[in-house]
Amino acid sequence: NAGETVEFNSKCLPLLFHHHYDDISFLENSNKLVIPKNILYELSPYDNLIYPLNFKINNKNIIFSVYEFSEDVDQVFIPQEHFKKLDIAYEEPVNLTLINKEIVKGKKIKIQPHTKNFLDLENPKEYLEEHLTKLYSCLSLNQTFSLPYFDISIYFNVLECYPTETISLIDTDIEVDFDKPLDYVEPPKPLPKPEPLSQQNNYSAGNLNFRKINELNKNNESSKNNESSKN
């Protein structure tokens, strides 16, 4: 039986160096690896493996899943962004660790887009359903991940995960909450509306106050009527 971890050593390259890169370039926005098939052969004697298989590289916090075990490669191929984060040199030997334990299914997650172009999406829920679960098998608290948006990528921070700090996205309904984008600027508050002229009691900005004039006229007429009645 395999324990909670199984260790392997392999060289590592960015996906860009894969000979069929055009076919797998969509994995740049993912946590998926292309792994030499000989590693799968080394795992074959174990009968207690937990699927889907998840790996760590050099024991860093990022958890990767497998896109494919490939017969015609000798290195682990990894998305460029993760390659940079892990600070790996080209073809540097790395420690590839199988995490042989179940990841708790996620119930709720809160994410924050880096840029406000996310607000231009007509249907964010549909966008996430289409891309997130297709490209990521799990997410962790404080992780940054990216999703494709036409010819660019939208980046997100994971602000909250429930019920654990690392959650599985496979075969589960997750409630997704959003925080405002990092580059979002609050719109300026509207200026107060000027008081209607009919409610003003004095002359203002050179405009006649007709209400005040009418009151003066009424008072003058009342005074004249009082003097006439006295006479």
Side-chain angles (χ1 to χ4, degrees):
N1 286 338
E4 286 194 352
T5 61
V6 181
E7 304 290 337
F8 301 93
N9 289 312
S10 179
K11 293 183 179 180
C12 191
L13 282 172
L15 282 174
L16 184 62
F17 287 80
H18 194 282
H19 50 287
H20 293 308
Y21 178 72
D22 289 343
D23 297 329
I24 62 171
S25 60
F26 68 93
L27 295 176
E28 294 288 12
N29 297 107
S30 78
N31 72 334
K32 297 185 183 294
L33 305 175
V34 176
I35 298 179
K37 202 162 191 176
N38 68 286
I39 290 180
L40 180 62
Y41 296 149
E42 292 183 46
L43 289 171
S44 59
Y46 299 116
D47 59 7
N48 67 329
L49 297 179
I50 296 174
Y51 292 88
L53 301 178
N54 293 299
F55 291 86
K56 286 186 176 182
I57 293 177
N58 290 346
N59 205 32
K60 297 297 178 69
N61 289 332
I62 303 172
I63 296 179
F64 297 94
S65 60
V66 183
Y67 174 68
E68 68 176 5
F69 289 98
S70 180
E71 191 80 62
D72 57 352
V73 300
D74 297 320
Q75 302 96 346
V76 174
F77 288 87
I78 178 175
Q80 178 73 25
E81 289 291 332
H82 294 301
F83 193 87
K84 291 179 181 177
K85 289 176 185 176
L86 294 170
D87 195 23
I88 305 171
Y90 294 152
E91 293 199 288
E92 174 187 341
V94 296
N95 180 245
L96 186 69
T97 304
L98 172 70
I99 308 301
N100 191 40
K101 58 183 180 181
E102 187 173 358
I103 298 176
V104 176
K105 292 184 183 296
K107 300 297 182 184
K108 183 177 180 180
I109 190 170
K110 184 175 183 179
I111 60 177
Q112 180 180 39
H114 285 197
T115 51
K116 59 178 181 282
N117 57 354
F118 177 73
L119 303 177
D120 297 333
L121 297 175
E122 291 184 7
N123 193 330
K125 182 176 182 293
E126 184 178 303
Y127 169 80
L128 290 172
E129 287 176 349
E130 179 182 353
H131 296 292
L132 187 57
T133 54
K134 175 184 175 183
L135 297 170
Y136 293 86
S137 60
C138 58
L139 288 174
S140 299
L141 182 66
N142 298 325
Q143 179 180 343
T144 297
F145 67 94
S146 63
L147 295 176
Y149 180 58
F150 294 104
D151 57 345
I152 63 171
S153 298
I154 300 180
Y155 289 84
F156 301 84
N157 293 334
V158 180
L159 303 182
E160 296 176 14
C161 284
Y162 180 82
T164 59
E165 290 190 356
T166 296
I167 56 173
S168 171
L169 307 182
I170 298 174
D171 297 329
T172 183
D173 291 326
I174 297 182
E175 178 185 344
V176 180
D177 192 13
F178 305 97
D179 202 350
K180 61 184 178 182
L182 287 174
D183 66 349
Y184 180 76
V185 178
E186 292 285 350
K189 293 182 178 179
L191 295 174
K193 293 183 179 180
E195 186 180 355
L197 193 61
S198 60
Q199 296 179 10
Q200 298 177 6
N201 292 323
N202 299 308
Y203 299 111
S204 175
N207 295 322
L208 292 176
N209 186 322
F210 292 104
R211 180 181 172 187
K212 189 70 174 176
I213 291 173
N214 290 335
E215 289 177 356
L216 291 173
N217 288 338
K218 288 179 181 178
N219 291 335
N220 290 336
E221 290 178 1
S222 177
S223 298
K224 290 179 181 179
N225 292 334
N226 290 335
E227 289 178 4
S228 298
S229 56
K230 288 180 183 179
N231 295 329

